[in-house]
Amino acid sequence: ASLLAGGPVSIYYGCDPTSDSLHVGNLIGLLVLRRLQDAGHRPVALAGGATGMVGDPSGRSEERNLLDDATLTANVAAIKAQMARVLDFDDGRALLVDNRDWTVDVTFVDFLRDVGKHVTVNQMLARESVKSRLGGEHGISYTEFSYMLLQAHDYLHLHRTLGVAMQIGGSDQWGNIVAGIDLIRRVTGDAAHGLSWPLLTAADGSKLGKSTGARIGLNPAHTSPYQFFQHFMQTDDRQVGEYLAKFTLLPLDAIDAVAADHASQPERRAGQRRLAEEV
């Protein structure tokens, strides 16, 4: 909080292009960036063309299918366009980056020397995303095991080149975020920061995403505007206030007023309707 109150900060949020559409879980991150931008900070939105080739083990019980280069390129272009619907990129007020640009030419030996040398296997094994996979039926490949090093390298690169001082993400990303903070401290001596929020969950408690759980995408070719609207109309009464805060740009006092009005007459579903209309 003191960092954000002290003046403009460059803050990054990344999305891997495992599909040609982001989903409502990603929308939270983009709206956090938007709120931060509205408060005077500079968002850096990252489309993970390189990390998308590897696959993030966080929140998954089995390996992702690797995508070919043409599919990844198309997916990156699609999610960049979606990011630009939420953030204002005019005049450099926000930046849109692809981690392939600084990863593709890094040799394996350079990566081992410049990144791997600063991270112990003990630290990596302690991450929840790795521990849960090690005890599972399918285990974890060396490729996905290495994912957190790539994301840490992204944070280091963005810190060095753009002065990025904070990375944000869902709680499943906390281990990856901390890995980047630690790498920056070890390599540069600088303090870096992280911010995360609880993941959205489906009714059965599973993570919502593009490849698991409900498929509520931001692309009308995947999820029609009607389906998208109805998804928010079906919000549980107890979550109306929370979802208004997470999925809209309404001021907090307006959210409190809508939530209070809804609580007094929940059968009217006025809270869900305002939520669906705003999103």
Side-chain angles (χ1 to χ4, degrees):
S2 59
L3 173 74
L4 295 175
V9 178
S10 292
I11 300 161
Y12 107 84
Y13 172 65
C15 299
D16 281 348
T18 49
S19 166
D20 62 355
S21 177
L22 300 176
H23 55 82
V24 292
N26 300 127
L27 186 57
I28 293 178
L30 293 179
L31 287 173
V32 171
L33 280 187
R34 170 64 181 271
R35 282 188 177 271
L36 289 165
Q37 182 174 39
D38 289 346
H41 302 290
R42 182 173 71 158
V44 178
L46 182 147
T51 39
M53 293 179 178
V54 172
D56 183 1
S58 301
R60 294 181 57 85
S61 59
E62 56 189 42
E63 291 277 318
R64 293 187 190 274
N65 293 323
L66 297 180
L67 302 177
D68 61 72
D69 190 63
T71 302
L72 273 169
T73 299
N75 289 357
V76 167
I79 70 172
K80 278 185 173 181
Q82 290 179 333
M83 289 171 165
R85 297 281 298 275
V86 179
L87 300 169
D88 179 4
F89 291 100
D90 291 345
D91 302 322
R93 294 190 64 238
L95 297 176
L96 197 52
V97 297
D98 179 350
N99 59 14
R100 266 189 300 191
D101 293 343
W102 61 81
T103 305
V104 70
D105 291 329
V106 176
T107 70
F108 184 60
V109 171
D110 286 343
F111 190 77
L112 291 178
R113 288 174 58 90
D114 297 338
V115 179
K117 190 65 177 174
H118 298 285
V119 184
T120 69
V121 172
N122 309 57
Q123 290 173 298
M124 296 176 71
L125 291 175
R127 302 290 185 225
E128 190 56 43
S129 60
V130 173
K131 281 200 296 187
S132 62
R133 289 283 291 277
L134 287 174
E137 176 185 353
H138 303 286
I140 184 171
S141 71
Y142 180 74
T143 299
E144 288 199 5
F145 181 62
S146 303
Y147 181 93
M148 75 173 69
L149 297 183
L150 281 176
Q151 188 164 324
H153 179 247
D154 289 342
Y155 197 175
L156 175 63
H157 175 84
L158 293 173
H159 178 74
R160 280 172 160 168
T161 59
L162 299 176
V164 171
M166 177 177 284
Q167 182 184 173
I168 65 172
S171 57
D172 63 333
Q173 292 299 306
W174 186 245
N176 294 335
I177 292 172
V178 170
I181 292 170
D182 192 53
L183 181 64
I184 289 169
R185 179 181 59 80
R186 290 175 181 272
V187 173
T188 71
D190 297 339
H193 305 267
L195 181 150
S196 73
W197 50 85
L199 296 178
L200 293 176
T201 57
D204 62 0
S206 63
K207 175 185 171 184
L208 288 174
K210 298 185 289 289
S211 49
T212 60
R215 296 170 179 266
I216 307 300
L218 306 186
N219 182 340
H222 289 252
T223 303
S224 73
Y226 174 80
Q227 290 173 308
F228 193 78
F229 191 90
Q230 288 302 313
H231 170 73
F232 288 98
M233 283 296 294
Q234 293 163 11
T235 300
D236 189 294
D237 287 329
R238 294 165 295 183
Q239 293 181 293
V240 166
E242 174 194 351
Y243 276 29
L244 282 165
K246 289 182 174 178
F247 288 109
T248 79
L249 295 171
L250 288 172
L252 292 179
D253 55 353
I255 290 170
D256 291 341
V258 173
D261 178 60
H262 175 76
S264 68
Q265 301 181 77
E267 69 280 358
R268 292 177 54 232
R269 304 189 71 74
Q272 284 92 341
R273 181 164 298 279
R274 183 65 185 278
L275 169 66
E277 289 171 350
E278 290 288 336
V279 180

